[in-house]
Amino acid sequence: MAFSLKLFLRKLFSNLFKKKKHIKLGLYGPPNGGKTTIANRICQDWLGEEMGKVSNVEHETREIQVKEEVNMKSGNKELSFNLVDTPGIATRIDYENFIKSGLKEKEAKSRAKEATKGVIEAIKWLDNMDAVIVVLDSTKDPYTQVNLTIIGNLQARDIPLLIVANKIDLKKSNVERVKSAFPQYKVLGISAKRGDNIEEMYEELFNLV
Amino acid sequence: MLTLEFVPYSEIAGLSSIGRIRKLLNLAKEDKIVIVQGRLRKEEEAELIKATMEEINKDFKGIELAVIYPEDSEQNGFFSSIKSKLVNALVGDAQGLTVIGPASVVKEIKKDPHKIQIYTSRRRSKRRKK
């Protein structure tokens, strides 16, 4: 009896204070918001290596990319997670747009086909996430249905999220507009390319996870 | 010719999630701009995007999608909010409007966020000869 009680209490306390292992931190957003640039920035800062290739042509990331065991430290705070870079979510994919961006027809068609699969995978992976950074381009209209659907689905699944309004180094950037579109969430303006507010983003991640 | 089709909520209320998505996507694939009374659940919106991606080919390039929803219904008091969430979870949501248009016809849908502006393409995609 005493043994069972002891075992029960030990299990209860270990469950209460156990740190969740293999937290999955996802990067979600529409194409060309800068998800992979942020992933590269995080990996460079904490692992000393890059995660993926970036490009000005949309849908450069067409497969889920996972970087395991990223360890972040700040003072006495520590955070360990698997970083998941996802393909940009879109409702339309037209290979002719890739041709306009300079790709050959065969390459453009193949990219479009892979991009559609990437969107499907990104949506499927939503259920696996423990926390998400929603990456939006602060130079673009934040009121798109893709943005609302991503955030709404994270909310419906009770997944904690941080919205980063990326590309604040560009003249057309308007972080206030992103903030006014999502007043119920923390919105942080950053430039993943130049490194603006990256330390603040890390601080927010400690609070988020 | 531009075709708009209005779908009253009663037409989708009794359908399963897959049924609703299939109905709306099929209408969009017929080159129609579909205006739906009410809105899909958030999970259904994601499923609609997934289903759209599965259907993309050289003739169908995807969709443009927008939902307009009365703001005050989301910012009511605690009990109204619980009530509306419960009703939504059980029978869906007849409030607001959902616009779905094929990418070949609709270039862009802009939300302001209280109004929707639909920009159509000047050049329609060529129909296949039978």
Side-chain angles (χ1 to χ4, degrees), chain B residues 67-84:
Chain B
V67 178
I68 195 157
Y69 197 75
E71 197 181 296
D72 54 354
S73 66
E74 285 186 335
Q75 290 175 351
N76 275 340
F78 177 73
F79 290 108
S80 306
S81 164
I82 295 284
K83 189 180 150 196
S84 86

Side-chain angles (χ1 to χ4, degrees), chain A residues 136 140-148 176-183, chain B residues 65-67 71 109-115:
Chain A
L136 305 182
K140 290 189 176 165
D141 176 16
Y143 293 101
T144 66
Q145 199 55 41
V146 164
N147 295 350
L148 297 170
E176 289 310 311
R177 190 150 191 245
V178 182
K179 283 182 179 173
S180 66
F182 306 104
Chain B
L65 170 70
V67 178
E71 197 181 296
I109 302 179
K110 278 189 178 173
K111 275 175 73 178
D112 205 4
H114 306 297
K115 66 179 177 190

Side-chain angles (χ1 to χ4, degrees), chain A residues 146-165:
Chain A
V146 164
N147 295 350
L148 297 170
T149 300
I150 293 170
I151 291 167
N153 271 270
L154 293 169
Q155 190 183 26
R157 288 166 170 82
D158 276 330
I159 299 170
L161 66 100
L162 167 69
I163 300 174
V164 296

Side-chain angles (χ1 to χ4, degrees), chain B residues 22-58:
Chain B
R22 182 49 43 207
K23 183 182 176 73
L24 300 177
L25 195 53
N26 283 350
L27 287 171
K29 284 181 76 179
E30 288 169 18
D31 271 358
K32 291 173 180 168
I33 297 176
V34 191
I35 298 167
V36 188
Q37 179 192 8
R39 70 176 187 187
L40 298 171
R41 295 186 190 98
K42 289 292 171 193
E43 294 87 342
E44 289 173 341
E45 282 177 17
E47 286 302 317
L48 174 64
I49 296 175
K50 257 169 74 179
T52 302
M53 289 298 119
E54 282 162 5
E55 302 271 322
I56 282 181
N57 55 37
K58 69 180 175 69

